[in-house]
Amino acid sequence: MLSFVDLAARPEFTVSAVDCRDDHHGWSAEPPREDVRLVLVRLGGFRRRVRGECVDLDRTVGYIGTPGEEEHFAHPAGGDECTSISLRPDLWRVLAGDTPRLNGSSLYVDAGLDLAHRRLLAATRADVDHAATEGLVGLVAEVVRQVGHHDHPGRHGRQGAW
């Protein structure tokens, strides 16, 4: 069972709490989407396959999803709880500028990104119009900082841990 609860929704972005209670070991396909997604795991884990690359995701590894990608997901260790941030591509370009790569890459959830994630979640409970937008900008800045560094140790995620 998959559920989405919008924590903050504006025409340009949506921050959602996603709860997936599933234990399918096989791959499920998702239809390609038109948005840019930043997905950060809060509890549990799952696998994602895109363009033939499989990555295990948990609280230490999230991902950037890009428009038009064919994504496949598996939950061999049970369900997960995530934050899914959907951005219109034009908003991503405004916030990220000419980021060197935007290709569905994995994100290492370091202390800076974890703190930005927590601040964003707290802001969605306090003030969606201003604080949540500011929190979103801070989180995207952390993501851009990370994907802009070509030598980041955790940016490709862990391969085949399950």
Side-chain angles (χ1 to χ4, degrees), residues 18-111:
V18 181
D19 188 357
C20 183
R21 296 289 165 225
D22 203 344
D23 62 356
H24 65 274
H25 295 272
W27 294 100
S28 64
E30 296 293 323
R33 296 173 47 152
E34 298 303 315
D35 58 346
V36 173
R37 286 157 327 284
L38 304 175
V39 177
L40 299 168
V41 179
R42 293 188 320 273
L43 183 65
F46 60 97
R47 299 190 88 189
R48 177 178 182 252
R49 183 175 69 201
V50 64
R51 291 181 315 282
E53 179 183 328
C54 297
V55 177
D56 294 329
L57 299 131
D58 60 19
R59 290 183 48 183
T60 65
V61 182
Y63 73 88
I64 300 173
T66 58
E69 287 182 322
E70 290 187 29
E71 298 175 291
H72 302 268
F73 298 95
H75 291 81
D80 63 86
E81 295 176 15
C82 297
T83 302
S84 179
I85 301 161
S86 171
L87 304 167
R88 283 194 346 209
D90 58 330
L91 177 60
W92 171 261
R93 283 189 298 278
V94 167
L95 295 174
D98 294 325
T99 301
R101 58 189 265 280
L102 176 60
N103 60 4
S105 65
S106 299
L107 297 168
Y108 174 65
V109 182
D110 61 9

Side-chain angles (χ1 to χ4, degrees), residues 85-155:
I85 301 161
S86 171
L87 304 167
R88 283 194 346 209
D90 58 330
L91 177 60
W92 171 261
R93 283 189 298 278
V94 167
L95 295 174
D98 294 325
T99 301
R101 58 189 265 280
L102 176 60
N103 60 4
S105 65
S106 299
L107 297 168
Y108 174 65
V109 182
D110 61 9
L113 185 53
D114 184 55
L115 180 59
H117 181 205
R118 290 172 187 267
R119 285 181 172 162
L120 173 60
L121 292 175
T124 63
R125 292 186 294 271
D127 177 10
V128 173
D129 289 323
H130 301 290
T133 301
E134 189 174 286
L136 175 71
V137 170
L139 186 136
V140 170
E142 285 296 320
V143 169
V144 169
R145 176 192 56 79
Q146 186 180 125
V147 299
H149 290 97
H150 296 288
D151 60 348
H152 199 281
R155 70 185 259 192

